[in-house]
Amino acid sequence: MVRRYLRLLGVQLKASTLQALQYRADFFTEGFTSLCWTFTALAPLFVVYGGRPEVEGWSFGEALLVVGWFTLLQGVLEGAINPSLTGVVEHIRKGTLDFVLLKPADAQFLVSTQRFLPWRAFNVLTGVGLFVYAFGLLGHGPSPLGLLTSLVLLCTSTLLLYSLWILTVSAAFFVVRVDNLTYLFSSIFDFARWPSTVFKGVGRGALTLVFTYVIPLALMTTFPAEAMLGRLPVTSLVGAVVGSVVFAWVARRVWIRSIGHYTSASS
């Protein structure tokens, strides 16, 4: 069963890559545009740290690690998660989800892998480049244990992002138009470029709690950065793993229940 779905994923990836490479100029133009947007996004960091050695316990180099994780996950979100799941909304609106539900494979898997944008891999590479530059500023590299922990957290962060998108898209079964919700989610995700402790002065720390436990942005970028720096408590690592699994389980249950409310075009 697992081999079958891995083979199906490989076919979907190959089809998306071939489609993107049909227009190679567009491929590299989109990649270059992604790089420009990434470096433009660094501007606020230079403004905030101008003349300051650190902000809320984070030096410039350490905060750059958080931006690196944000950039990397943005590449994953916009290259692998967002393109497929936004297409689900159109399927529901037009009543064409039947073509997916009738196929002999899990519907959630099919709608989650129907389209990829390979040029967003530039964001992933840029994130890795930011890690190298940040550790160059800090004067040391990550420990092997810190690197291993951050790789585990990369998996949990991707699972959290995917689960949050499944929850958002599932709303389309009830309200049809969820464009505003997806825009809202993208705007909120922008806060993940900052260390979560930066927000502890807002609403007496309420915003930090929201970004840790309700919309777990801290688990996606701040925790992996702390793991690289070797200062992430074991309890936080366990909490991130357990939290991501719980989010995935809830998202799966919500998706299954939401399909029960689907009305096809022929109904």
Side-chain angles (χ1 to χ4, degrees), residues 80-98 100-101 107-115 162 165-174 176-179 182 255 258-259 262-263:
I81 298 175
N82 196 337
S84 294
L85 293 183
T86 50
V88 179
V89 179
E90 282 300 310
H91 277 308
I92 298 170
R93 187 181 303 162
K94 296 177 180 176
T96 55
L97 193 64
D98 311 46
V100 177
L101 297 177
Q108 185 177 341
F109 178 84
L110 289 176
V111 300
S112 302
T113 58
Q114 59 185 339
R115 188 179 178 221
Y162 172 71
W165 258 102
I166 285 291
L167 290 173
T168 304
V169 167
S170 295
F173 288 97
F174 302 93
V176 182
R177 295 194 67 88
V178 294
D179 298 16
T182 57
W255 168 262
S258 299
I259 287 181
Y262 171 65
T263 304

Side-chain angles (χ1 to χ4, degrees), residues 9-22 114 116 118:
L9 176 62
V11 171
Q12 301 278 49
L13 274 170
K14 184 179 179 181
S16 295
T17 304
L18 290 176
Q19 186 178 14
L21 290 175
Q22 280 183 322
Q114 59 185 339
F116 297 95

Side-chain angles (χ1 to χ4, degrees), residues 21 31 51 53 58 67 76 79 85 89 108 122 128 152 159 180 194 198 201 253 265:
L21 290 175
W58 288 79
V67 178
V76 173
L85 293 183
V89 179
Q108 185 177 341
F122 282 96
V128 175
V152 172
L159 188 59
N180 291 335
W194 300 99
V198 168
R253 301 309 303 170

